[in-house]
Each structure stands twice: as structure tokens, then as C-alpha cells.
Amino acid sequence: MKITQEKLEKSQIGLEIEITQESTREKYEQVIKDLMRNVNIPGFRKGKVTRQILLQRIGANRVKASVLEELIPEAIEQAVKQENIKAIGQPKLVSSFDDLIGKYKPGETLTFSAAVDVEPEVNIKQYTGMQIKAEEVKYDSSKVDRAIEEEREKMATLVPVEGRAAQLGDVVLVDFSGSLAETPEQKPVLIPGAQGEDFSVDLNEDRFIPGFVTGIVGMNIGETKEIAAQFPDNYTNGELANKAALYTVTLKEIKEKELPELDDNFAEEVSDFKTLAELRAFLEKQYQEKAEEATNKNKQEALLRHLLQHVEIDLPETLIQQEIDHKLEQTAFSLAEQGLDVRKLLTREIVLQLRESNRSSAVEEVKRNLAIREIAQRESITVDKEEVKKKAAEVLQKYSGEDINVKNLELVLETELKREKVLEWLIANSSVELVPEGSSSGGEEQPETTSPE
């Protein structure tokens, strides 16, 4: 078999393969014999049909197609082995299959073209001495106070209140009905699911759509009021996003929160610590570590973004599609964990849209991974096997009730640990300037919102 190689774009190797006369004849005879033994032809017992009848009934082109369906994959596989090509993914036939049927003649040479994806060359122009800016996440002591207050809120006793209006911090019982207020000329349209009786509302502005809580504040028991509210732009139900709503609310009961004393007894109730000082010290350390971790993540992300500006990789489609597959698997797993029906949600159309929308992030992720792997090779950065086994043991202990393939787990952990080591090495060999949070470019996070219903 004669093979000619050609380097193509997108990290492909083109193959021109010439199959010998003997091979085209032998495969044809083999397929003819198999068809004569196995095909069902009306009027003939199975295995008793003649060659001439077979060709008449089935047709010469169908027979040749059957031959090529075996001959071409076998020839590509043999060519890849013969040329010692480290292919990734499935090889592709470049020549037109229909044209090959027309050209193919048993006992004559057959030439066709194929292409195989291979690992790409990674060209990194610079990866040391980089100058980057990263946002520093500073420890905020007020988070400790908020965490403690949240625990106090959870343990609060609700005490009925009379003789005053509702105020922020209260828990009230209401009947309500919500409708969309499009224009003064239109009739209000009830919002599906936005009606309720004896509905408990914690008067905290952050927990409901803007306007709802502030409208209840100041109401007295027995009072009915119409409250204007506005669904935010990023509301989870896209049909209601940015629309004005009108709620008819009747206040039935007001309760205020009686918080527990902030003392050692409280600390024992909400934690494993015996004193409030111990609890506070634990939370301070926890939030300090979180701030350090977040700062380090910002360093890594800024460094990787900068690194990619110095990386040139002609990516093969196989690696991109594999990464997209991985992202879709993560999406499906996340939906399943929420108890949602993945099959109903991820229709063929939605999957195609997700594949397209995930493409750019998949390309970036593949480039990052290949650059990190290349740097690890150049700088001889490795991970000790004992380190991997220790990490695997921790994971297995945490998920002791689940069926986990230890070998696969260790491979994943080895990759993750090596990635961390490379990033640490890059940070140590770069100049990182820490800047205040929010001072670098990037989109702002949208606040989380919840509807009254």
C-alpha cells in the first residue's frame, strides 16, 4: 500500500492512500462470497444464490459500496499504523464516497484521500517574566458579624406584635394576588402562581422583587393595599423580566424576631465550639483563608489570560468537540442533581445551541490545558505518585458511599495537581501587581432575586 502524507490546517495530516490491485480484488471476492451466503433473495434458499443473480438483484454499485465500506476503513487504519501517526479521534474520508464507487474496479489500484487529527504543536513565545495585574480580595471582618447574625436570625423566636405598623426585620402573614400592569388602558393580567393566602413574608428587601417589601412596610394589621413592584431585567422567568406588577396585599399578622443573646450558650447551640470567642476566631480564620484563595484564583486567571496572548496553537476539531462534550456532560449532571428531567430539557435543538454557545469557551480551555501541559514538560514539573494517592484517599473517604473508579480518579487528580503546580511556578516566575477589587475590567455580578410567589 502506497501512502503520501501532507500537513494540513487545524493540526491534521492528510493521507493519500493507494490500495493495491490484489487487495481490491481479494476484498471484492470476499464480500461477494459473504453476500452469497447471507443475503435473502426471493425464490432462492439462503446461501444458494449464484453470483450472477446476486449482481442482478442487488446491483453492482451496491456490492461495490459494501466492498468500500470495509476496504476504506481497513486501509486508513493500516496507513495510520504504517506511518506511525499518533491520531486522535476518528479519521475522516476526504474523497467523495460516491465518486469512489464509480472509480472502483476489482483488480485495479484505488486511490483516495483521508485526514486524521493529531496532537497540535504548542508554540509559547513567553511564559516567564510576565507582568500582570490581579484583583486582591481583602478579608472583610464584617462578614463574620453577618454570619453570626444570620445564625441568630435562624434561632430567633417570633413574637406576635399589635399596636404598630410593619417594619423591616418583621415576619408578616399576608394574602396576596399579583397581576401585570402593562398600561393604564389594559386590563390587569393575573400572574400565574402569584396568588396566595397566609403567606409568610420576611421583610428583608433583598429577598423579593423590588417594591414588594417596601410596600408592606408601614401597613397595619387588617389593612389592604395595592403595591407596585418591578421585576428585574435578570429575573429567572424571562417572560416577566423588566415588567411592572401590581400586588393586592392584605396584612393579617405581624411578628417580630426575638434574637437569642450573643453569648457562649449561643455559640454552643450553633457550633461545636464552647465559647463565642472560639466561634468568632474560627470564622475569622475561615474568611481570611477564603480571601487568600480568591486572591490566588484571581492571580491564576489573570496569568492564564495573559499567557494565552503568547500562545499559538492550531487546534484540531477533535479536541474542541471533546471539550464541548465535557461541558455538556457537566450541564446535564448539574440539571440532574436539581431533580430536573434532562431528556426533556436537553432536546436536539437545545443541545445544538449549547454546542455552539460553548465553542469559544471550549477553545480557550483547550488552549489553556495544552499550554500548561507544554510548560510542565519544558520545566520538568511533575507530581509525586504518593501525593496523588493521598489526595485520592481523601476524596474516597469523603464519597465513601459512591462507586468510584480509583484509577480514573487518580488520573484526574494527577492532572489537577500538576495544573496547580504549573500555575504556582508561573506566578513565582512572573511579576504580579495586586489591585483593589473591581478596579480591573469585567462584568458586574447581578444580584440574586426571588419572586413573592
Side-chain angles (χ1 to χ4, degrees), residues 214-231:
T214 52
I216 295 175
V217 169
M219 288 181 67
N220 291 294
I221 295 173
E223 182 182 352
T224 298
K225 180 181 177 182
E226 287 193 337
I227 297 172
Q230 180 81 27
F231 287 99

Side-chain angles (χ1 to χ4, degrees), residues 316-348:
E317 189 64 23
T318 296
L319 293 183
I320 298 171
Q321 293 304 321
Q322 285 175 354
E323 181 61 29
I324 292 174
D325 289 342
H326 177 62
K327 288 180 178 294
L328 291 185
E329 285 170 6
Q330 288 180 318
T331 299
F333 181 75
S334 177
L335 292 172
E337 276 199 321
Q338 297 173 49
L340 300 172
D341 190 332
V342 175
R343 290 184 180 181
K344 286 184 179 179
L345 288 171
L346 297 183
T347 62
R348 185 176 182 277

Side-chain angles (χ1 to χ4, degrees), residues 201-212:
V201 180
D202 191 339
L203 295 185
N204 183 319
E205 289 185 74
D206 295 336
R207 295 181 185 174
F208 298 92
I209 66 171
F212 187 75

